[in-house]
PDB file of all heavy atoms in Angstrom:
ATOM      1  N   HIS A 397     -11.511  57.017  85.030  1.00  0.00           N
ATOM      2  CA  HIS A 397     -10.701  58.173  84.621  1.00  0.00           C
ATOM      3  C   HIS A 397      -9.301  57.698  84.239  1.00  0.00           C
ATOM      4  O   HIS A 397      -8.902  56.578  84.580  1.00  0.00           O
ATOM      5  CB  HIS A 397     -10.640  59.242  85.722  1.00  0.00           C
ATOM      6  CG  HIS A 397     -10.216  58.749  87.070  1.00  0.00           C
ATOM      7  ND1 HIS A 397     -10.113  59.546  88.174  1.00  0.00           N
ATOM      8  CD2 HIS A 397      -9.850  57.501  87.502  1.00  0.00           C
ATOM      9  CE1 HIS A 397      -9.716  58.834  89.210  1.00  0.00           C
ATOM     10  NE2 HIS A 397      -9.552  57.602  88.839  1.00  0.00           N
ATOM     11  N   SER A 399      -6.693  58.883  85.425  1.00  0.00           N
ATOM     12  CA  SER A 399      -5.770  59.137  86.544  1.00  0.00           C
ATOM     13  C   SER A 399      -5.041  57.875  86.970  1.00  0.00           C
ATOM     14  O   SER A 399      -3.935  57.938  87.517  1.00  0.00           O
ATOM     15  CB  SER A 399      -6.525  59.738  87.730  1.00  0.00           C
ATOM     16  OG  SER A 399      -7.095  60.969  87.351  1.00  0.00           O
ATOM     17  N   ARG A 423     -18.203  55.560  82.350  1.00  0.00           N
ATOM     18  CA  ARG A 423     -19.060  55.861  83.499  1.00  0.00           C
ATOM     19  C   ARG A 423     -20.501  55.568  83.146  1.00  0.00           C
ATOM     20  O   ARG A 423     -20.917  55.791  82.007  1.00  0.00           O
ATOM     21  CB  ARG A 423     -18.933  57.337  83.920  1.00  0.00           C
ATOM     22  CG  ARG A 423     -17.598  57.625  84.567  1.00  0.00           C
ATOM     23  CD  ARG A 423     -17.469  59.046  85.042  1.00  0.00           C
ATOM     24  NE  ARG A 423     -16.055  59.370  85.200  1.00  0.00           N
ATOM     25  CZ  ARG A 423     -15.596  60.552  85.562  1.00  0.00           C
ATOM     26  NH1 ARG A 423     -16.432  61.544  85.805  1.00  0.00           N
ATOM     27  NH2 ARG A 423     -14.296  60.754  85.676  1.00  0.00           N
ATOM     28  N   GLN A 436     -10.464  60.774  77.888  1.00  0.00           N
ATOM     29  CA  GLN A 436      -9.795  61.789  78.711  1.00  0.00           C
ATOM     30  C   GLN A 436      -8.325  61.851  78.338  1.00  0.00           C
ATOM     31  O   GLN A 436      -7.778  60.905  77.765  1.00  0.00           O
ATOM     32  CB  GLN A 436      -9.874  61.409  80.194  1.00  0.00           C
ATOM     33  CG  GLN A 436     -11.220  61.641  80.837  1.00  0.00           C
ATOM     34  CD  GLN A 436     -11.149  61.495  82.361  1.00  0.00           C
ATOM     35  OE1 GLN A 436     -10.287  60.787  82.881  1.00  0.00           O
ATOM     36  NE2 GLN A 436     -12.060  62.140  83.056  1.00  0.00           N
ATOM     37  N   GLU A 438      -4.860  62.622  80.536  1.00  0.00           N
ATOM     38  CA  GLU A 438      -4.300  62.871  81.857  1.00  0.00           C
ATOM     39  C   GLU A 438      -2.929  63.504  81.679  1.00  0.00           C
ATOM     40  O   GLU A 438      -2.176  63.122  80.771  1.00  0.00           O
ATOM     41  CB  GLU A 438      -4.134  61.511  82.558  1.00  0.00           C
ATOM     42  CG  GLU A 438      -3.843  61.601  84.021  1.00  0.00           C
ATOM     43  CD  GLU A 438      -5.105  61.895  84.807  1.00  0.00           C
ATOM     44  OE1 GLU A 438      -6.210  61.802  84.249  1.00  0.00           O
ATOM     45  OE2 GLU A 438      -4.978  62.243  86.005  1.00  0.00           O
ATOM     46  N   PHE A 479      -7.073  63.084  94.940  1.00  0.00           N
ATOM     47  CA  PHE A 479      -5.662  62.814  94.588  1.00  0.00           C
ATOM     48  C   PHE A 479      -4.858  64.078  94.322  1.00  0.00           C
ATOM     49  O   PHE A 479      -3.688  63.997  93.944  1.00  0.00           O
ATOM     50  CB  PHE A 479      -5.584  61.863  93.382  1.00  0.00           C
ATOM     51  CG  PHE A 479      -6.689  62.090  92.369  1.00  0.00           C
ATOM     52  CD1 PHE A 479      -6.509  62.963  91.315  1.00  0.00           C
ATOM     53  CD2 PHE A 479      -7.909  61.444  92.510  1.00  0.00           C
ATOM     54  CE1 PHE A 479      -7.532  63.177  90.405  1.00  0.00           C
ATOM     55  CE2 PHE A 479      -8.940  61.653  91.596  1.00  0.00           C
ATOM     56  CZ  PHE A 479      -8.755  62.527  90.544  1.00  0.00           C
ATOM     57  N   GLY A 499      -9.997  69.522  85.168  1.00  0.00           N
ATOM     58  CA  GLY A 499      -9.706  69.468  86.601  1.00  0.00           C
ATOM     59  C   GLY A 499      -8.209  69.325  86.782  1.00  0.00           C
ATOM     60  O   GLY A 499      -7.534  68.703  85.962  1.00  0.00           O
ATOM     61  N   PHE A 523      -3.408  66.961  85.829  1.00  0.00           N
ATOM     62  CA  PHE A 523      -4.679  67.495  85.305  1.00  0.00           C
ATOM     63  C   PHE A 523      -5.361  66.408  84.487  1.00  0.00           C
ATOM     64  O   PHE A 523      -4.729  65.448  84.046  1.00  0.00           O
ATOM     65  CB  PHE A 523      -4.455  68.752  84.457  1.00  0.00           C
ATOM     66  CG  PHE A 523      -3.592  68.527  83.244  1.00  0.00           C
ATOM     67  CD1 PHE A 523      -4.156  68.122  82.038  1.00  0.00           C
ATOM     68  CD2 PHE A 523      -2.215  68.707  83.313  1.00  0.00           C
ATOM     69  CE1 PHE A 523      -3.351  67.902  80.921  1.00  0.00           C
ATOM     70  CE2 PHE A 523      -1.409  68.482  82.203  1.00  0.00           C
ATOM     71  CZ  PHE A 523      -1.978  68.082  80.998  1.00  0.00           C
ATOM     72  N   GLY A 524      -6.660  66.574  84.327  1.00  0.00           N
ATOM     73  CA  GLY A 524      -7.414  65.627  83.509  1.00  0.00           C
ATOM     74  C   GLY A 524      -8.460  66.381  82.724  1.00  0.00           C
ATOM     75  O   GLY A 524      -9.179  67.218  83.280  1.00  0.00           O
TER      76      GLY A 524
HETATM   77  N1  LIG B1129      -9.612  62.400  87.180  1.00  0.00           N
HETATM   78  C1  LIG B1129     -10.370  63.621  87.297  1.00  0.00           C
HETATM   79  C2  LIG B1129     -11.742  63.412  86.685  1.00  0.00           C
HETATM   80  O1  LIG B1129     -11.951  62.430  86.000  1.00  0.00           O
HETATM   81  C3  LIG B1129      -9.679  64.772  86.625  1.00  0.00           C
HETATM   82  C4  LIG B1129      -8.393  65.161  87.287  1.00  0.00           C
HETATM   83  C5  LIG B1129      -7.209  64.594  86.882  1.00  0.00           C
HETATM   84  C6  LIG B1129      -8.365  66.112  88.302  1.00  0.00           C
HETATM   85  C7  LIG B1129      -6.011  64.966  87.485  1.00  0.00           C
HETATM   86  C8  LIG B1129      -7.184  66.496  88.896  1.00  0.00           C
HETATM   87  C9  LIG B1129      -6.010  65.927  88.493  1.00  0.00           C
HETATM   88  O2  LIG B1129     -12.633  64.215  86.851  1.00  0.00           O
END
Side-chain angles (χ1 to χ4, degrees):
H397 53 181
S399 299
R423 289 182 200 178
Q436 284 191 334
E438 192 78 12
F479 36 91
F523 61 88

